[in-house]
Amino acid sequence: MRDNNTREGERISSSSKQQPQVPMSLKLIDTCLRLNVVPLSVATIWLTVTNHESNPDYGNLDYHSIMGLKYMVGVSAVCAIYALLSTISSWIACLVSKAWLFFVPDQVLAYLMTTSVAGATEIVYLLNKGDKPVTWSEVCSSYPHFCSKLTIALGIHVFVLFAFLFLSVISAYRAFSLFDPPCDSQANNNA
């Protein structure tokens, strides 16, 4: 009888301590990615917001003229703020154990970044190539400085997207490693 109680006590104590520790190398990669997102997002915002060019024939072109660029700036700002706050909170012990606090926002921001990059890529493509069937001519021959600066901003934005995709994988690992794998139904039927 004592043997059963001892085993049950061990099982209860081991299940209550089942918070797996995230490997330090994974935590370091997570922190570095989050810290790198901040200056890259700020650079995207700065390049986009300060991007404007005048043409005597066609007038001024700036990011206020294109709604997709406003969206890209907004998403970049949210990403920079979140990355900074999540980096700080990832080193606070009481928040680290709440893996869902990182999992959900990381997933949402990865999707927002995906839509932002897709929209900005389409804008850059249309500025460079135009769309002849709808009589939208290319703009980059008239505004070369604007297009080159926007292409650089888009490239930086893509790096931030890849960082958030990788962060979403890390946070998913941290969130789902808390649970045991499902039991094998074949083994249960044979027993």
Side-chain angles (χ1 to χ4, degrees):
M1 188 73 170
R2 174 146 169 85
D3 191 31
N4 280 342
N5 288 339
T6 306
R7 285 185 188 160
E8 177 124 357
E10 288 173 1
R11 202 173 329 135
I12 290 171
S13 68
S14 69
S15 67
S16 66
K17 295 179 183 179
Q18 203 147 29
Q19 293 279 359
Q21 288 292 80
V22 176
M24 194 57 158
S25 61
L26 191 61
K27 189 171 184 175
L28 185 62
I29 291 170
D30 183 85
T31 301
C32 289
L33 281 172
R34 290 180 194 282
L35 284 177
N36 284 324
V37 162
V38 176
L40 292 174
S41 293
V42 170
T44 300
I45 294 168
W46 180 77
L47 282 169
T48 307
V49 170
T50 61
N51 194 7
H52 57 85
E53 189 172 0
S54 295
N55 184 310
D57 296 329
Y58 300 110
N60 294 332
L61 182 61
D62 62 1
Y63 96 101
H64 292 290
S65 307
I66 305 171
M67 182 62 97
L69 297 182
K70 291 179 188 178
Y71 179 68
M72 183 173 82
V73 166
V75 169
S76 292
V78 169
C79 286
I81 292 167
Y82 169 72
L84 186 63
L85 292 176
S86 64
T87 301
I88 294 167
S89 64
S90 70
W91 291 93
I92 298 173
C94 65
L95 295 177
V96 170
S97 64
K98 310 281 191 258
W100 58 269
L101 278 176
F102 297 100
F103 172 69
V104 173
D106 283 350
Q107 298 298 315
V108 169
L109 285 175
Y111 288 120
L112 284 175
M113 285 296 299
T114 302
T115 61
S116 178
V117 166
T121 302
E122 182 177 2
I123 290 167
V124 169
Y125 177 81
L126 289 173
L127 289 174
N128 281 302
K129 304 287 184 190
D131 192 3
K132 302 294 183 209
V134 294
T135 65
W136 188 352
S137 62
E138 58 89 17
V139 176
C140 288
S141 61
S142 302
Y143 298 97
H145 177 70
F146 183 85
C147 289
S148 63
K149 210 170 172 184
L150 188 58
T151 303
I152 293 168
L154 177 61
I156 295 170
H157 202 55
V158 168
F159 279 120
V160 175
L161 167 64
F162 286 133
F164 265 103
L165 290 175
F166 198 61
L167 283 168
S168 69
V169 170
I170 292 172
S171 64
Y173 170 76
R174 287 169 46 190
F176 292 113
S177 65
L178 298 174
F179 303 102
D180 291 330
C183 61
D184 187 15
S185 61
Q186 294 278 336
N188 288 342
N189 290 341
N190 294 336

